[in-house]
Amino acid sequence: MLSLPEKSILLVEDSTLTRFSSRRTLEERGYLVDETASGQEALAKARGKRDPYDLVILDIHLPGMDGLAVLENLKHLPAYRYVPVMVSTVESNVASVKKAIDLGAVEYLCKPYSTEELIRRVEKLIGPGAWGEATPAEVLHKVLRNELNRASRGGHKVALVLARSERLGKGKIGEYARQARRRLREIDTVIELSKSTLALILPHTGKEGAQVVTTRLESFLPGTWSYGIAVYPDNGKDGEELFTYAEVALKEIWEKQDQGAPA
């Protein structure tokens, strides 16, 4: 069961890549995220939301109205007087930081930042997301649902890869998951599904692309691994069907390897 309430974040960032990867990272941890690339739209979203966001992540350098002006206007809204605002920028400018703090910001993040640093700062300000006590399978299906919704709207594919190895040392799956995250794209998701299995969700990826990823994994993951691949929409129209297809494919390959037959 998920026991933590959902928390909403407004992400204001003009870099498409940073905005996309940050949103993915936050959503994977169970936060509800609205995003915008401009200050004017950020203020419109804040004014139009019935309940205020729990956190605003605000880039200082925005086109048109800059982040400092957005922050000043935001803090004039009664509902946002006590809502924490974390500003981000590519420059460690002491004057900008001081002005942001004077205007009401409570945290500062210098770009480029790692996903671990982003989550650490967010959890410090508003606590863990709603999936903080979810099982890995629950997280997997929620991330899959989000990606399939995006894929359906954009008309692109999503690949699910299940990677399994039974001969792992104690606690090694977490280390291998971290290695995979460092070597894959920022938009990819790696989940420790069990003590012997990793789940990879690969947006904008078909079967051939997923096979390229498994070959890359083989280059740095020690031991013998088996892989089950399923691609949306070819192998399933929703997360349940996709997972079942990948699980069956994984089981077939695992049994072939166990019997000594070529996979």
Side-chain angles (χ1 to χ4, degrees), residues 106-203:
V106 296
E107 186 61 272
Y108 180 80
L109 194 58
C110 189
K111 296 188 293 185
Y113 48 79
S114 66
T115 56
E116 291 82 5
E117 181 67 10
L118 174 62
I119 292 300
R120 187 182 71 81
R121 302 286 185 94
V122 170
E123 289 185 345
K124 173 186 173 184
L125 292 173
I126 61 173
W131 305 349
E133 297 182 12
T135 66
E138 288 171 332
V139 173
L140 170 64
H141 286 290
K142 285 181 178 291
V143 174
L144 261 181
R145 183 182 64 192
N146 288 340
E147 285 303 334
L148 297 189
N149 285 338
R150 293 192 184 100
S152 177
R153 294 193 298 268
H156 59 80
K157 294 187 176 184
V158 176
L160 170 65
V161 177
L162 299 181
R164 178 183 178 190
S165 179
E166 288 290 354
R167 299 171 178 84
L168 299 179
K170 185 177 180 181
K172 286 292 185 179
I173 195 70
E175 176 185 334
Y176 297 153
R178 288 189 290 274
Q179 291 183 31
R181 291 186 189 106
R182 287 197 296 269
R183 288 170 170 83
L184 297 181
R185 301 172 301 176
E186 290 185 345
I187 65 172
D188 298 329
T189 300
V190 181
I191 296 171
E192 302 158 37
L193 199 56
S194 72
K195 64 181 181 181
S196 61
T197 305
L198 295 175
L200 287 70
I201 302 172
L202 313 173

Side-chain angles (χ1 to χ4, degrees), residues 7 38 42 47 76 78 111 179 187 194 213:
K7 298 167 185 176
S38 75
R47 293 189 183 103
H76 285 156
K111 296 188 293 185
Q179 291 183 31
I187 65 172
S194 72
V213 170

Side-chain angles (χ1 to χ4, degrees), residues 163 176-177 179-180 198 216-225 227:
Y176 297 153
Q179 291 183 31
L198 295 175
R216 187 181 305 165
L217 293 176
E218 291 285 358
S219 70
F220 63 84
L221 291 180
T224 302
W225 291 75
Y227 302 96

Side-chain angles (χ1 to χ4, degrees), residues 11-23 35-38 57-63 88-90 111-113 186:
L11 175 63
V12 190
E13 168 62 58
D14 68 328
S15 166
T16 302
L17 179 59
T18 301
R19 191 171 66 250
F20 186 88
S21 61
S22 297
R23 176 173 182 164
E35 63 178 69
T36 175
S38 75
I57 301 176
L58 178 62
D59 185 12
I60 289 180
H61 299 287
L62 295 171
S88 67
T89 180
V90 293
K111 296 188 293 185
Y113 48 79
E186 290 185 345

